[in-house]
Amino acid sequence: KPNNVTPVQLLNAVIKKGATASVCALYLPNSGNAVTDLRDGIKPAKPADMAASMLEPGRQDIGF
């Protein structure tokens, strides 16, 4: 556990600082979960929107 912090704690911290979090567009339909099951601040990704944002100059993306 780096710095004694869990992935959930790291995610919550970056969202609190203004980052956005999206779930893979393929995850929800194949997981049995619904949009209502996602944590506050996390939404399903729209592939075209994700691709456009990843190409923005200076964009930093983290996937896990």
Side-chain angles (χ1 to χ4, degrees):
K1 245 166 69 163
N3 297 324
N4 204 30
V5 179
T6 68
V8 171
Q9 290 169 321
L10 289 172
L11 180 61
N12 288 339
V14 297
I15 289 173
K16 190 174 183 177
K17 290 182 179 183
T20 58
S22 302
V23 173
C24 173
L26 299 175
Y27 170 75
L28 283 178
N30 292 299
S31 69
N33 294 305
V35 174
T36 55
D37 296 323
L38 297 175
R39 299 172 70 90
D40 287 341
I42 301 174
K43 52 190 169 178
K46 295 180 181 172
D49 293 344
M50 290 300 295
S53 73
M54 290 174 73
L55 295 173
E56 293 173 357
R59 170 64 70 167
Q60 294 181 355
D61 296 296
I62 300 172
F64 56 103

